[in-house]
Amino acid sequence: MAGAIDQARMKFSNIVNSRSYTRFNQSQNPDGESSRVEVKLAADGEEEMDGTELGPVQHDTYTRSSRSMPWNRWKILVWVCGVLVIFCVGLLIGYSVHHKSESAPCPTAVSAIQEVPLNYPPSLDWSDLVTLLNDKLSSKAIEKKLGELSQSDRKAGSFLDNKLADDIHDNFTQLNMDPWVDEHFVKLQFPDRSKPNKVLFGSTNIGSPNGFLAYSETGRKEGRVVYANYGQLSDLETVKNGTYRLSLNGSVVLMRAGKISMAQKVMNAAKMGAIAALIYPDPADYRNLSKNTDLYGHVHLGSGDPYTPGFPSFNHTQFPPAKSSGLPGILAQTITANMAQAIFKKMGGDDAPDRFKGDFPSYKLGREGDNVTVVVNNNLADTKIHNVFGVIKGYVDPDRYVVIGAQRDSLSLGYAKSTVGTTLLLELARVFTELKKSGFRPKRSIVFASWTAGDFGNVGVTEWLEGYWASLDRKAFTYISLDGVVTGAGSFRASASPLLHTLLQKTLGKVKSPGSKLSLLQSYGGVLPPLLKTMQMDDGAYPFLAMSGIPSVSFSFVSPPASAEEYFGPILDDKAHLDSLTNKKVVELSVLAAQVAGQMALRLVHDHILRLDVTKYSDVITNHVNAIIQHVDALKNNNVIKTESLSTKWLNAAKSSYSRAAASLNTDIGNTDLNDMEMCRIINNRIMKVEQNFLSPYVSLRDVPFRHIFLGDGWQTTTDLEKYLGDVHENKTSFDIDQVLNKFALLTWTIQGCANDLAGDIWSLDNEI
């Protein structure tokens, strides 16, 4: 006790005699007798964005007399009381120093800082944190977990899927991650094994495929078969309106897999009047597939439960009798390559264009009398599904979080599609927990999410987003997808919000290639743009980005060329097949993928300012606006009627407003004391709103779920406007001035609204538009 008192006296003496006071907050007492001076000590230096965290800051105050008093018994009494006060204060400080001496060293250097939470411990230096992350990632743990999870198929809502969900929940519980479960009641479609689907050419039975397309219409349809290459709109237009002039009304359209999603193919065929669609893998596109390989997928041109569009599928929800507009409403079925070849052998008509041809001996477009019958007997089942979550809470802004997620379900083994991602989800959860024990103190929270029903169109992800829309758009600031992160070796591809391009590039520049001094970025060409591809609707991160306005990223190690579309259907998506594609480097590549995802997440929760680069959208906006201006100028040069009233002035002004707002934000960041937590939070709030503000406020979430004007899908997008203007220029459609003016206004004010919000407070805005 005496030692503690001596330590307290020494500490108090040092405080009183120290010259390291950095700020005095002096205010006159109401009686004018004395003034109270607040003294704030600083931590050991300031942190830059790549530096260390601040240590705990202690605040000591004392009161000093502002004028002298006569030396009398009252003064003696005051002096005695002062000594007692000093003794008590010293005792308390001594106890505090003794209690915290092991966890928080006494600050020695001086710098002016804002107050931080009293319970906020010091964190690790960034370089030390990355080193610890890489050291704690275990290839043996990953290999063991891969073996455990690759033993059985996990259809969404099945016993095995639910068991894995329980195991993940138990794992999160053991890691003290406060896990919780999110339940949904959704409609999933499966084949009826007692009544198999089948395809006939005339009266000849082509076969009964095991593969299927979920959410197809059911029944029996017969029509003329027409071959339409990949089923892209340009392919269908060639068949219908080109030199061939084949009617697609009432037809069965035969298409090969690839280029676009199966849902897009079927929807395109439905728009042309087809009654059924058949999709097969051509050997020219999928050389590693057996000709008897079945394909699986879904036809919902959207995400989530298509029978509760815009609504979360909670059990207590009163569902209206509605279907998603993304359901094509026609029969759809996958067939094997051998079945497709049998159909081609029987087809007549014109030879297909050269660009339509693959590796079969004959490709015909079809003729009158080439009738094909399609029978689909799928059953729609009400299914209970579970998403599982765990969280590592932040110390400064726990209500702001990055989400790391992976799909766990599969129609079969799903080794590349779901097993690898789920393994890395569990490994990163373990590693981040150990980092926390080693001194890692994230400013923001990290949520780990295990999704199900991904094979049916990101059902689990979408239902969760729909259920918690009001909370997520203000709190979740990034989503990192682990789905399909290893599908090959030798190349790399990624899809991401422009806000994450800079962070992704810097992360790839830091992660080292195995057995080489080169970084991943250097190994794959040294620049990011060639590695990027537009995020597709079937990507697990797409609902976060295009529906919820949350910056998202997905990436994958792939076999070159990066554009190759190697298919991982349930039959081939197993360990042996992935080992053959990666030369048995699945574990090694999984560790690299964990480093990329882990470092991105750490960077986002470590720094004072969110590493989301708002200036990247300036280039995106500029490119789209310039393309629109070029289309408008072309129409005016061709003297298209009514285009004289069409002006791009205000759209161009909105583009400039966003560029100025982004530059202004960077200036504000440069002028901000990064230790001022309140100011950092204000700046981060401005950054977090950018992606969300690109969701068009002029369309309904229920009618147009992917409302993003640049990365979404629908009439509200810039690409849709560009395509329309291009079609008018090529005389493919007539010009509707009212439609164009309406789209100009909506795009202009969506971009301008984002710029206004990014600029900050209302008094910071200009009035140029």
Side-chain angles (χ1 to χ4, degrees):
M1 184 64 180
I5 295 174
D6 292 338
Q7 187 179 14
R9 287 173 175 169
M10 182 177 297
K11 177 65 177 175
F12 184 80
S13 176
N14 289 339
I15 292 175
V16 172
N17 294 309
S18 173
R19 295 183 180 181
S20 63
Y21 297 143
T22 61
R23 189 179 307 144
F24 292 85
N25 186 10
Q26 183 168 343
S27 58
Q28 185 70 24
N29 284 348
D31 58 6
E33 293 295 323
S34 63
S35 62
R36 190 173 187 273
V37 181
E38 181 179 350
V39 181
K40 298 185 179 181
L41 291 180
D44 299 342
E46 294 181 341
E47 176 200 15
E48 295 180 355
M49 291 182 71
D50 290 337
T52 59
E53 300 291 316
L54 296 172
V57 180
Q58 296 180 349
H59 304 275
D60 300 289
T61 64
Y62 68 97
T63 302
R64 63 183 180 186
S65 176
S66 59
R67 63 182 183 181
S68 61
M69 296 178 63
W71 185 265
N72 51 34
R73 60 181 181 178
W74 294 107
K75 187 171 182 178
I76 294 174
L77 181 59
V78 170
W79 183 84
V80 172
C81 292
V83 171
L84 291 176
V85 169
I86 291 173
F87 176 82
C88 294
V89 172
L91 183 62
L92 291 174
I93 294 176
Y95 173 78
S96 175
V97 170
H98 178 72
H99 182 69
K100 296 182 179 179
S101 59
E102 295 182 359
S103 60
C106 179
T108 56
V110 178
S111 62
I113 64 169
Q114 287 293 104
E115 183 176 350
V116 301
L118 295 178
N119 62 342
Y120 184 63
S123 186
L124 300 172
D125 177 87
W126 172 249
S127 59
D128 294 336
L129 186 57
V130 172
T131 300
L132 268 178
L133 170 71
N134 295 338
D135 290 344
K136 290 182 180 297
L137 284 171
S138 170
S139 58
K140 290 184 178 179
I142 290 175
E143 185 173 17
K144 179 181 177 182
K145 185 61 68 175
L146 283 172
E148 293 174 355
L149 297 181
S150 62
Q151 301 304 315
S152 60
D153 61 336
R154 299 175 298 277
K155 294 181 179 64
S158 67
F159 169 80
L160 292 175
D161 176 45
N162 293 335
K163 182 179 183 302
L164 180 55
D166 291 340
D167 292 342
I168 293 172
H169 187 278
D170 292 343
N171 189 288
F172 288 167
T173 300
Q174 293 171 6
L175 296 174
N176 296 318
M177 294 175 64
D178 300 325
W180 71 96
V181 174
D182 185 55
E183 294 183 352
H184 294 279
F185 297 80
V186 299
K187 292 184 183 297
L188 304 180
Q189 195 182 62
F190 299 94
D192 186 342
R193 297 307 178 188
S194 65
K195 295 187 296 181
N197 301 337
K198 58 184 179 180
V199 178
L200 300 91
F201 192 104
S203 59
T204 303
N205 184 19
I206 297 298
S208 297
N210 292 319
F212 75 103
L213 291 172
Y215 302 123
S216 164
E217 285 294 304
T218 57
R220 181 188 184 101
K221 294 291 183 179
E222 180 181 358
R224 172 187 176 181
V225 63
V226 177
Y227 174 53
N229 199 24
Y230 292 106
Q232 300 176 102
L233 284 175
S234 59
D235 296 330
L236 293 165
E237 289 287 349
T238 298
V239 173
K240 182 179 180 181
N241 299 322
T243 59
Y244 305 100
R245 297 289 178 178
L246 298 180
S247 174
L248 295 178
N249 285 327
S251 67
V252 175
V253 180
L254 176 63
M255 299 168 282
R256 54 174 167 167
K259 300 295 184 182
I260 57 177
S261 71
M262 295 186 185
Q264 288 173 298
K265 296 175 190 293
V266 178
M267 181 61 79
N268 289 345
K271 289 179 178 178
M272 294 292 180
I275 58 172
L278 296 175
I279 301 174
Y280 77 96
D282 196 289
D285 302 311
Y286 304 100
R287 300 189 182 280
N288 293 320
L289 265 66
S290 162
K291 289 187 177 181
N292 288 317
T293 300
D294 287 292
L295 302 186
Y296 296 73
H298 67 89
V299 301
H300 182 206
L301 193 59
S303 65
D305 184 348
Y307 295 93
T308 58
F311 295 94
S313 296
F314 292 131
N315 196 33
H316 56 269
T317 304
Q318 298 298 311
F319 301 124
K323 292 183 181 181
S324 168
S325 59
L327 288 177
I330 66 173
L331 270 61
Q333 177 63 48
T334 58
I335 58 176
T336 66
N338 277 337
M339 293 178 187
Q341 187 170 5
I343 293 175
F344 277 120
K345 285 181 179 179
K346 293 179 176 294
M347 288 175 66
D350 294 325
D351 285 336
D354 288 342
R355 66 184 180 90
F356 280 32
K357 295 179 180 179
D359 281 356
F360 293 147
S362 173
Y363 287 86
K364 300 289 186 178
L365 293 180
R367 63 189 171 190
E368 291 292 343
D370 287 345
N371 288 344
V372 166
T373 300
V374 180
V375 180
V376 177
N377 295 313
N378 299 341
N379 290 326
L380 198 63
D382 292 316
T383 308
K384 183 179 180 180
I385 61 172
H386 304 81
N387 297 321
V388 184
F389 305 87
V391 61
I392 294 177
K393 295 179 181 178
Y395 282 77
V396 176
D397 292 323
D399 60 336
R400 302 288 189 267
Y401 40 85
V402 57
V403 182
I404 304 176
Q407 172 187 333
R408 71 171 183 275
D409 71 291
S410 174
L411 290 171
S412 186
L413 295 178
Y415 191 74
K417 190 169 187 179
S418 61
T419 298
V420 174
T422 300
T423 296
L424 296 189
L425 181 76
L426 296 173
E427 175 68 2
L428 286 172
R430 179 190 67 81
V431 169
F432 276 47
T433 302
E434 291 187 7
L435 287 177
K436 188 176 178 182
K437 294 178 181 178
S438 299
F440 170 47
R441 299 295 180 261
K443 288 183 174 64
R444 304 163 198 97
S445 299
I446 308 170
V447 174
F448 294 84
S450 174
W451 316 109
T452 191
D455 275 353
F456 294 85
N458 298 318
V459 173
V461 172
T462 304
E463 298 307 314
W464 184 67
L465 290 172
E466 289 176 342
Y468 301 98
W469 168 263
S471 300
L472 293 171
D473 67 341
R474 295 190 300 270
K475 296 180 180 179
F477 56 84
T478 296
Y479 178 68
I480 301 174
S481 173
L482 298 176
D483 295 342
V485 290
V486 179
T487 60
S491 189
F492 183 90
R493 68 183 176 193
S495 301
S497 161
L499 295 175
L500 289 165
H501 286 178
T502 300
L503 176 59
L504 178 60
Q505 178 171 304
K506 290 186 176 180
T507 301
L508 293 177
K510 296 295 183 181
V511 177
K512 298 297 182 182
S513 296
S516 171
K517 294 182 180 180
L518 298 178
S519 67
L520 288 181
L521 188 64
Q522 292 170 326
S523 299
Y524 300 132
V527 291
L528 183 65
L531 306 179
L532 295 174
K533 57 173 289 189
T534 302
M535 190 176 292
Q536 300 299 310
M537 194 177 295
D538 56 355
D539 193 311
Y542 190 76
F544 275 89
L545 179 60
M547 188 180 81
S548 298
I550 298 170
S552 305
V553 58
S554 62
F555 63 90
S556 179
F557 291 94
V558 299
S559 296
S563 59
E565 301 200 33
E566 180 62 48
Y567 181 77
F568 286 90
I571 302 301
L572 283 183
D573 194 1
D574 56 18
K575 183 179 185 300
H577 188 58
L578 190 57
D579 279 341
S580 68
L581 289 174
T582 62
N583 196 23
K584 296 186 177 181
K585 293 182 178 180
V586 174
V587 174
E588 181 180 287
L589 293 170
S590 296
V591 172
L592 290 178
Q595 289 180 10
V596 173
Q599 287 194 33
M600 290 186 72
L602 285 179
R603 186 90 270 179
L604 289 165
V605 300
H606 174 273
D607 294 345
H608 294 287
I609 302 297
L610 288 175
R611 286 299 183 96
L612 301 176
D613 189 353
V614 298
T615 62
K616 288 298 181 180
Y617 260 118
S618 296
D619 296 335
V620 174
I621 297 172
T622 298
N623 291 337
H624 283 290
V625 171
N626 288 345
I628 292 172
I629 292 174
Q630 290 175 6
H631 284 303
V632 171
D633 290 343
L635 294 179
K636 289 184 176 181
N637 291 336
N638 288 347
N639 297 317
V640 176
I641 189 171
K642 295 184 179 180
T643 54
E644 64 276 0
S645 62
L646 191 59
S647 172
T648 57
K649 174 182 177 182
W650 303 115
L651 186 60
N652 197 47
K655 174 202 72 175
S656 300
S657 292
Y658 181 87
S659 296
R660 288 195 303 272
S664 175
L665 176 70
N666 283 342
T667 300
D668 290 345
I669 293 174
N671 294 333
T672 297
D673 178 3
L674 296 181
N675 297 313
D676 186 337
M677 293 190 177
E678 181 60 28
M679 183 55 66
C680 288
R681 187 177 176 91
I682 291 172
I683 290 176
N684 287 335
N685 285 342
R686 291 163 63 185
I687 295 173
M688 285 176 61
K689 293 179 182 178
V690 170
E691 200 80 75
Q692 186 202 357
N693 283 332
F694 284 133
L695 301 180
S696 176
Y698 305 104
V699 296
S700 165
L701 172 64
R702 179 177 173 182
D703 298 331
V704 186
F706 304 121
R707 297 180 295 150
H708 204 292
I709 63 172
F710 300 119
L711 305 171
D713 180 78
W715 65 267
Q716 83 290 347
T717 62
T718 53
T719 52
D720 185 83
L721 176 57
E722 292 165 30
K723 182 181 182 303
Y724 176 77
L725 294 175
D727 288 346
V728 172
H729 182 250
E730 296 174 7
N731 295 319
K732 292 181 179 179
T733 187
S734 59
F735 183 68
D736 184 343
I737 184 63
D738 292 335
Q739 177 183 343
V740 174
L741 288 175
N742 186 51
K743 289 187 176 184
F744 266 48
L746 301 188
L747 285 176
T748 297
W749 286 107
T750 301
I751 296 171
Q752 184 63 41
C754 182
N756 291 346
D757 206 7
L758 181 61
D761 295 312
I762 193 69
W763 50 82
S764 300
L765 306 182
D766 58 46
N767 191 31
E768 294 188 10
I769 184 171

